[in-house]
Amino acid sequence: MKHITRTLFLSALLALCGCSSPQDENLKIISFNIRYNSVDNIDGDNGWPNRKASVVRMINEEQPAAIGLQEALIDQLQYLDSCLPNYSRIGVGRDDGEETGEFMAIYYDTSWLQMVDYSTRWLSETPEVVSKGWDAACYRTVTIARFRIRQSGREFDYLNTHLDHVGKTARAEGAKLIAEILGSQEACEVPVIVGGDMNSSIEDTIFQAFFHVGLKAARDMTDSSSHVFTYTGFGKDAPSVIDHFFVRDMQVLRFRTLDGDYGIPYISDHYPIAIDIRL
């Protein structure tokens, strides 16, 4: 009887303190190359005006704690802002550090997560300022966010990036730069998620930089894992698997490629990828 009474007392105390069980640490994170909204509508029937409602449908159905977007332009983000009242957004335009060019935006559910801090680094020789690196065709950035889980108070870092699609040196050096960020003492204090369109298969040697700082490929960490291709080219190009998640100091419960039916054939030229993780 004393044991039962003590157990009930501790349970009540934990509830009053707002403490959480391991189940409360489970989070869903999505990475999604949204495909930019082209001014001259080069995508025709697959253009953003025909896709945007289905993108919102996907997010509402999945209800991620956070979603990292690649290629999003300011008009697309403003539309999503209006449709996702439970989410806040961070990130900057890569071409000027404000609103010009593609964003590596992160949306986070404010009922789940509190944003502690965030920053942007350009994947270049001068990462603190707007700049293009090495042989890259475009400005490339990584958005670095630290989040606190509201219920438990635990924190984690989420890095959202898009490596260059042309420059081989830029991809390799960009991965090294991200690894250097994650090798800092501050970054080692909390679990880490890195996700994005890497424009590289998982076998590419550029990811050795990630592995050297303790990151693991999320697909390889669970038996419940999808190996469906992630780049589709709207069904016109050869498919490939170039979108990835890497994690450190957390458990991956599930990895999925979101190739389901959201009302149209393609919500982008990439499928979103999703991980369920436990801190």
Side-chain angles (χ1 to χ4, degrees):
M1 179 63 71
K2 288 182 179 180
H3 174 73
I4 295 173
T5 301
R6 182 173 180 272
T7 300
L8 292 173
F9 172 75
L10 289 174
S11 298
L13 183 61
L14 287 170
L16 288 171
C17 291
C19 299
S20 63
S21 68
Q23 187 67 25
D24 294 322
E25 306 295 323
N26 293 359
L27 298 172
K28 180 189 293 182
I29 310 293
I30 290 177
S31 176
F32 181 31
N33 183 325
I34 201 171
R35 177 65 174 178
Y36 63 89
N37 182 21
S38 60
V39 175
D40 50 0
N41 194 30
I42 61 175
D43 294 325
D45 291 341
N46 293 311
W48 174 248
N50 295 331
R51 296 187 286 112
K52 60 184 184 179
S54 293
V55 168
V56 172
R57 175 177 170 180
M58 180 275 293
I59 296 172
N60 284 333
E61 286 186 10
E62 293 295 331
Q63 297 185 357
I67 176 170
L69 302 180
Q70 302 92 46
E71 289 196 15
L73 298 177
I74 187 62
D75 65 302
Q76 294 173 288
L77 296 174
Q78 290 169 341
Y79 171 78
L80 294 177
D81 292 346
S82 69
C83 296
L84 302 171
N86 294 332
Y87 289 83
S88 288
R89 164 170 58 91
I90 56 176
V92 300
R94 69 186 186 184
D95 291 358
D96 66 354
E98 296 182 12
E99 293 190 346
T100 303
E102 297 173 8
F103 286 63
M104 302 310 108
I106 298 176
Y107 281 87
Y108 61 98
D109 186 334
T110 56
S111 66
W112 278 72
L113 302 176
Q114 177 185 1
M115 198 272 292
V116 178
D117 192 18
Y118 98 92
S119 62
T120 296
R121 296 290 185 274
W122 276 260
L123 303 182
S124 74
E125 296 92 332
T126 54
E128 302 292 335
V129 299
V130 179
S131 50
K132 190 184 297 183
W134 304 285
D135 58 348
C138 306
Y139 292 94
R140 297 295 181 182
T141 62
V142 56
T143 300
I144 307 161
R146 177 158 296 184
F147 292 112
R148 179 178 297 125
I149 302 173
R150 289 189 179 277
Q151 188 165 359
S152 69
R154 294 200 66 186
E155 297 181 355
F156 67 95
D157 287 346
Y158 178 25
L159 284 70
N160 175 38
T161 195
H162 189 180
L163 300 183
D164 200 67
H165 65 301
V166 174
K168 293 182 179 179
T169 300
R171 285 196 295 275
E173 294 298 326
K176 288 180 183 178
L177 180 59
I178 292 171
E180 289 175 8
I181 294 170
L182 294 177
S184 69
Q185 181 177 352
E186 182 180 357
C188 291
E189 294 173 352
V190 298
V192 173
I193 304 167
V194 179
D197 176 359
M198 307 295 180
N199 276 307
S200 303
S201 68
I202 198 65
E203 295 82 15
D204 198 308
T205 57
I206 68 170
F207 297 124
Q208 291 301 315
F210 287 178
F211 302 147
H212 288 160
V213 293
L215 290 170
K216 297 179 180 179
R219 278 188 185 85
D220 298 336
M221 295 179 64
T222 173
D223 292 334
S224 180
S225 192
S226 170
H227 294 274
V228 176
F229 53 80
T230 63
Y231 173 72
T232 70
F234 295 119
K236 300 174 182 179
D237 298 334
S240 55
V241 181
I242 58 174
D243 301 85
H244 308 290
F245 272 118
F246 299 86
V247 302
R248 184 172 71 192
D249 297 333
M250 64 181 67
Q251 181 181 359
V252 178
L253 305 175
R254 190 181 185 192
F255 186 112
R256 290 183 298 144
T257 301
L258 303 180
D259 59 348
D261 182 2
Y262 300 106
I264 59 175
Y266 298 103
I267 61 173
S268 176
D269 59 345
H270 289 244
Y271 289 132
I273 56 174
I275 52 172
D276 295 306
I277 57 98
R278 179 178 295 162
L279 273 63

PDB file of all heavy atoms in Angstrom, residues 68-85:
ATOM      1  N   GLY A  68      10.914  22.341 -42.513  1.00  0.00           N
ATOM      2  CA  GLY A  68      11.915  23.146 -43.194  1.00  0.00           C
ATOM      3  C   GLY A  68      11.646  23.150 -44.686  1.00  0.00           C
ATOM      4  O   GLY A  68      11.526  22.088 -45.296  1.00  0.00           O
ATOM      5  N   LEU A  69      11.536  24.342 -45.262  1.00  0.00           N
ATOM      6  CA  LEU A  69      11.263  24.481 -46.684  1.00  0.00           C
ATOM      7  C   LEU A  69      12.513  24.935 -47.419  1.00  0.00           C
ATOM      8  O   LEU A  69      13.299  25.724 -46.898  1.00  0.00           O
ATOM      9  CB  LEU A  69      10.157  25.512 -46.921  1.00  0.00           C
ATOM     10  CG  LEU A  69       8.803  25.261 -46.254  1.00  0.00           C
ATOM     11  CD1 LEU A  69       7.836  26.387 -46.611  1.00  0.00           C
ATOM     12  CD2 LEU A  69       8.224  23.914 -46.662  1.00  0.00           C
ATOM     13  N   GLN A  70      12.659  24.456 -48.632  1.00  0.00           N
ATOM     14  CA  GLN A  70      13.695  24.952 -49.533  1.00  0.00           C
ATOM     15  C   GLN A  70      13.021  25.549 -50.771  1.00  0.00           C
ATOM     16  O   GLN A  70      11.935  25.114 -51.158  1.00  0.00           O
ATOM     17  CB  GLN A  70      14.666  23.848 -49.954  1.00  0.00           C
ATOM     18  CG  GLN A  70      15.375  23.153 -48.798  1.00  0.00           C
ATOM     19  CD  GLN A  70      14.634  21.919 -48.326  1.00  0.00           C
ATOM     20  OE1 GLN A  70      14.198  21.098 -49.127  1.00  0.00           O
ATOM     21  NE2 GLN A  70      14.496  21.769 -47.010  1.00  0.00           N
ATOM     22  N   GLU A  71      13.657  26.545 -51.351  1.00  0.00           N
ATOM     23  CA  GLU A  71      13.236  27.222 -52.589  1.00  0.00           C
ATOM     24  C   GLU A  71      12.039  28.145 -52.419  1.00  0.00           C
ATOM     25  O   GLU A  71      11.547  28.710 -53.403  1.00  0.00           O
ATOM     26  CB  GLU A  71      12.944  26.216 -53.728  1.00  0.00           C
ATOM     27  CG  GLU A  71      14.188  25.551 -54.279  1.00  0.00           C
ATOM     28  CD  GLU A  71      13.961  24.878 -55.632  1.00  0.00           C
ATOM     29  OE1 GLU A  71      12.935  25.155 -56.290  1.00  0.00           O
ATOM     30  OE2 GLU A  71      14.821  24.073 -56.019  1.00  0.00           O
ATOM     31  N   ALA A  72      11.546  28.356 -51.237  1.00  0.00           N
ATOM     32  CA  ALA A  72      10.352  29.179 -51.054  1.00  0.00           C
ATOM     33  C   ALA A  72      10.664  30.656 -51.281  1.00  0.00           C
ATOM     34  O   ALA A  72      11.629  31.191 -50.740  1.00  0.00           O
ATOM     35  CB  ALA A  72       9.791  28.976 -49.649  1.00  0.00           C
ATOM     36  N   LEU A  73       9.837  31.318 -52.073  1.00  0.00           N
ATOM     37  CA  LEU A  73       9.931  32.755 -52.289  1.00  0.00           C
ATOM     38  C   LEU A  73       8.948  33.475 -51.374  1.00  0.00           C
ATOM     39  O   LEU A  73       8.007  32.870 -50.839  1.00  0.00           O
ATOM     40  CB  LEU A  73       9.653  33.092 -53.747  1.00  0.00           C
ATOM     41  CG  LEU A  73      10.636  32.498 -54.769  1.00  0.00           C
ATOM     42  CD1 LEU A  73      10.205  32.840 -56.192  1.00  0.00           C
ATOM     43  CD2 LEU A  73      12.053  32.979 -54.515  1.00  0.00           C
ATOM     44  N   ILE A  74       9.133  34.772 -51.212  1.00  0.00           N
ATOM     45  CA  ILE A  74       8.381  35.519 -50.210  1.00  0.00           C
ATOM     46  C   ILE A  74       6.877  35.450 -50.448  1.00  0.00           C
ATOM     47  O   ILE A  74       6.097  35.371 -49.484  1.00  0.00           O
ATOM     48  CB  ILE A  74       8.870  36.989 -50.127  1.00  0.00           C
ATOM     49  CG1 ILE A  74       8.197  37.717 -48.955  1.00  0.00           C
ATOM     50  CG2 ILE A  74       8.653  37.705 -51.440  1.00  0.00           C
ATOM     51  CD1 ILE A  74       8.495  37.127 -47.590  1.00  0.00           C
ATOM     52  N   ASP A  75       6.420  35.483 -51.707  1.00  0.00           N
ATOM     53  CA  ASP A  75       4.973  35.420 -51.950  1.00  0.00           C
ATOM     54  C   ASP A  75       4.402  34.071 -51.531  1.00  0.00           C
ATOM     55  O   ASP A  75       3.266  33.994 -51.031  1.00  0.00           O
ATOM     56  CB  ASP A  75       4.652  35.717 -53.417  1.00  0.00           C
ATOM     57  CG  ASP A  75       5.206  34.675 -54.373  1.00  0.00           C
ATOM     58  OD1 ASP A  75       6.438  34.464 -54.366  1.00  0.00           O
ATOM     59  OD2 ASP A  75       4.425  34.052 -55.123  1.00  0.00           O
ATOM     60  N   GLN A  76       5.184  33.008 -51.714  1.00  0.00           N
ATOM     61  CA  GLN A  76       4.724  31.688 -51.279  1.00  0.00           C
ATOM     62  C   GLN A  76       4.637  31.628 -49.752  1.00  0.00           C
ATOM     63  O   GLN A  76       3.688  31.073 -49.187  1.00  0.00           O
ATOM     64  CB  GLN A  76       5.681  30.608 -51.793  1.00  0.00           C
ATOM     65  CG  GLN A  76       5.689  30.475 -53.304  1.00  0.00           C
ATOM     66  CD  GLN A  76       6.764  29.520 -53.791  1.00  0.00           C
ATOM     67  OE1 GLN A  76       7.954  29.854 -53.748  1.00  0.00           O
ATOM     68  NE2 GLN A  76       6.367  28.336 -54.245  1.00  0.00           N
ATOM     69  N   LEU A  77       5.630  32.205 -49.092  1.00  0.00           N
ATOM     70  CA  LEU A  77       5.634  32.204 -47.630  1.00  0.00           C
ATOM     71  C   LEU A  77       4.494  33.045 -47.075  1.00  0.00           C
ATOM     72  O   LEU A  77       3.867  32.674 -46.069  1.00  0.00           O
ATOM     73  CB  LEU A  77       6.977  32.713 -47.114  1.00  0.00           C
ATOM     74  CG  LEU A  77       8.185  31.841 -47.471  1.00  0.00           C
ATOM     75  CD1 LEU A  77       9.474  32.520 -47.027  1.00  0.00           C
ATOM     76  CD2 LEU A  77       8.075  30.452 -46.849  1.00  0.00           C
ATOM     77  N   GLN A  78       4.213  34.158 -47.707  1.00  0.00           N
ATOM     78  CA  GLN A  78       3.103  34.991 -47.244  1.00  0.00           C
ATOM     79  C   GLN A  78       1.777  34.256 -47.368  1.00  0.00           C
ATOM     80  O   GLN A  78       0.895  34.388 -46.506  1.00  0.00           O
ATOM     81  CB  GLN A  78       3.086  36.309 -48.016  1.00  0.00           C
ATOM     82  CG  GLN A  78       4.255  37.218 -47.655  1.00  0.00           C
ATOM     83  CD  GLN A  78       4.411  38.402 -48.581  1.00  0.00           C
ATOM     84  OE1 GLN A  78       3.883  38.409 -49.700  1.00  0.00           O
ATOM     85  NE2 GLN A  78       5.148  39.411 -48.149  1.00  0.00           N
ATOM     86  N   TYR A  79       1.630  33.472 -48.429  1.00  0.00           N
ATOM     87  CA  TYR A  79       0.427  32.647 -48.567  1.00  0.00           C
ATOM     88  C   TYR A  79       0.358  31.607 -47.445  1.00  0.00           C
ATOM     89  O   TYR A  79      -0.689  31.440 -46.805  1.00  0.00           O
ATOM     90  CB  TYR A  79       0.406  31.954 -49.928  1.00  0.00           C
ATOM     91  CG  TYR A  79      -0.685  30.918 -50.061  1.00  0.00           C
ATOM     92  CD1 TYR A  79      -2.003  31.297 -50.287  1.00  0.00           C
ATOM     93  CD2 TYR A  79      -0.398  29.560 -49.937  1.00  0.00           C
ATOM     94  CE1 TYR A  79      -3.013  30.353 -50.395  1.00  0.00           C
ATOM     95  CE2 TYR A  79      -1.397  28.610 -50.048  1.00  0.00           C
ATOM     96  CZ  TYR A  79      -2.708  29.006 -50.275  1.00  0.00           C
ATOM     97  OH  TYR A  79      -3.696  28.073 -50.360  1.00  0.00           O
ATOM     98  N   LEU A  80       1.464  30.919 -47.193  1.00  0.00           N
ATOM     99  CA  LEU A  80       1.473  29.914 -46.137  1.00  0.00           C
ATOM    100  C   LEU A  80       1.230  30.551 -44.768  1.00  0.00           C
ATOM    101  O   LEU A  80       0.547  29.976 -43.926  1.00  0.00           O
ATOM    102  CB  LEU A  80       2.796  29.143 -46.149  1.00  0.00           C
ATOM    103  CG  LEU A  80       3.060  28.270 -47.386  1.00  0.00           C
ATOM    104  CD1 LEU A  80       4.433  27.623 -47.291  1.00  0.00           C
ATOM    105  CD2 LEU A  80       1.975  27.210 -47.544  1.00  0.00           C
ATOM    106  N   ASP A  81       1.797  31.747 -44.554  1.00  0.00           N
ATOM    107  CA  ASP A  81       1.560  32.450 -43.294  1.00  0.00           C
ATOM    108  C   ASP A  81       0.066  32.619 -43.054  1.00  0.00           C
ATOM    109  O   ASP A  81      -0.429  32.438 -41.929  1.00  0.00           O
ATOM    110  CB  ASP A  81       2.207  33.841 -43.319  1.00  0.00           C
ATOM    111  CG  ASP A  81       3.726  33.795 -43.321  1.00  0.00           C
ATOM    112  OD1 ASP A  81       4.300  32.724 -43.035  1.00  0.00           O
ATOM    113  OD2 ASP A  81       4.331  34.841 -43.614  1.00  0.00           O
ATOM    114  N   SER A  82      -0.661  32.972 -44.105  1.00  0.00           N
ATOM    115  CA  SER A  82      -2.092  33.233 -43.969  1.00  0.00           C
ATOM    116  C   SER A  82      -2.904  31.964 -43.745  1.00  0.00           C
ATOM    117  O   SER A  82      -4.018  32.023 -43.212  1.00  0.00           O
ATOM    118  CB  SER A  82      -2.617  33.952 -45.217  1.00  0.00           C
ATOM    119  OG  SER A  82      -2.615  33.091 -46.354  1.00  0.00           O
ATOM    120  N   CYS A  83      -2.336  30.821 -44.141  1.00  0.00           N
ATOM    121  CA  CYS A  83      -3.064  29.546 -44.056  1.00  0.00           C
ATOM    122  C   CYS A  83      -2.680  28.705 -42.845  1.00  0.00           C
ATOM    123  O   CYS A  83      -3.354  27.705 -42.552  1.00  0.00           O
ATOM    124  CB  CYS A  83      -2.819  28.718 -45.310  1.00  0.00           C
ATOM    125  SG  CYS A  83      -3.444  29.454 -46.835  1.00  0.00           S
ATOM    126  N   LEU A  84      -1.600  29.073 -42.163  1.00  0.00           N
ATOM    127  CA  LEU A  84      -1.075  28.250 -41.070  1.00  0.00           C
ATOM    128  C   LEU A  84      -1.001  29.084 -39.787  1.00  0.00           C
ATOM    129  O   LEU A  84       0.088  29.432 -39.320  1.00  0.00           O
ATOM    130  CB  LEU A  84       0.309  27.702 -41.435  1.00  0.00           C
ATOM    131  CG  LEU A  84       0.388  26.853 -42.712  1.00  0.00           C
ATOM    132  CD1 LEU A  84       1.842  26.572 -43.072  1.00  0.00           C
ATOM    133  CD2 LEU A  84      -0.389  25.547 -42.535  1.00  0.00           C
ATOM    134  N   PRO A  85      -2.136  29.405 -39.199  1.00  0.00           N
ATOM    135  CA  PRO A  85      -2.140  30.305 -38.033  1.00  0.00           C
ATOM    136  C   PRO A  85      -1.435  29.745 -36.802  1.00  0.00           C
ATOM    137  O   PRO A  85      -1.039  30.527 -35.928  1.00  0.00           O
ATOM    138  CB  PRO A  85      -3.632  30.525 -37.769  1.00  0.00           C
ATOM    139  CG  PRO A  85      -4.310  29.331 -38.374  1.00  0.00           C
ATOM    140  CD  PRO A  85      -3.494  28.983 -39.576  1.00  0.00           C
TER     141      PRO A  85
END
